[in-house]
Amino acid sequence: MQAAQPLPPEEPGRTSTPAAELSDRDRRVLRFEQGWWRHPGAKEEAIRAEFGLSSTRYYQILNRLIDSDAALITDPMLVRRLRRLREQRRAARSGRRDRGEE
């Protein structure tokens, strides 16, 4: 049996797995989305307290994040649920526009 070979040093900014490609903030956003309802008060207030971001900026980051393969690998159930909810909201918005044009 051969001894295990040491791994080559990683290049700065590069990671070996897609899940490791998530930044610390991205991981925090995913954890927050899993349990934001545990925070007291409105979600927008919790976003401001947790991240120091406006809710608009937070949702921009979240939408980019849930489109990434790294996030899907990290938490597939959460990412699929968030994608499904986003599509439902899009469909509802487009349905309202369609009805308004009649």
Side-chain angles (χ1 to χ4, degrees), residues 34-100:
Q34 285 176 327
W36 68 265
W37 45 270
R38 293 182 200 136
H39 295 274
K43 186 174 183 181
E44 288 75 20
E45 293 171 8
I47 289 168
R48 176 79 59 193
E50 181 74 21
F51 300 102
L53 298 170
S54 69
S55 57
T56 301
R57 181 66 183 132
Y58 172 82
Y59 287 112
Q60 289 171 343
I61 291 167
L62 178 62
N63 278 306
R64 177 198 49 84
L65 180 59
I66 65 175
D67 285 333
S68 75
D69 290 336
L72 184 62
I73 291 168
T74 301
D75 195 337
M77 288 180 61
L78 174 66
V79 171
R80 286 187 186 116
R81 179 175 59 84
L82 293 172
R83 286 178 180 178
R84 186 178 61 250
L85 290 170
R86 180 178 62 184
E87 290 306 314
Q88 288 172 350
R89 285 190 298 272
R90 282 182 182 163
R93 282 193 307 269
S94 69
R96 277 183 268 164
R97 276 191 225 121
D98 291 344
R99 278 184 251 128

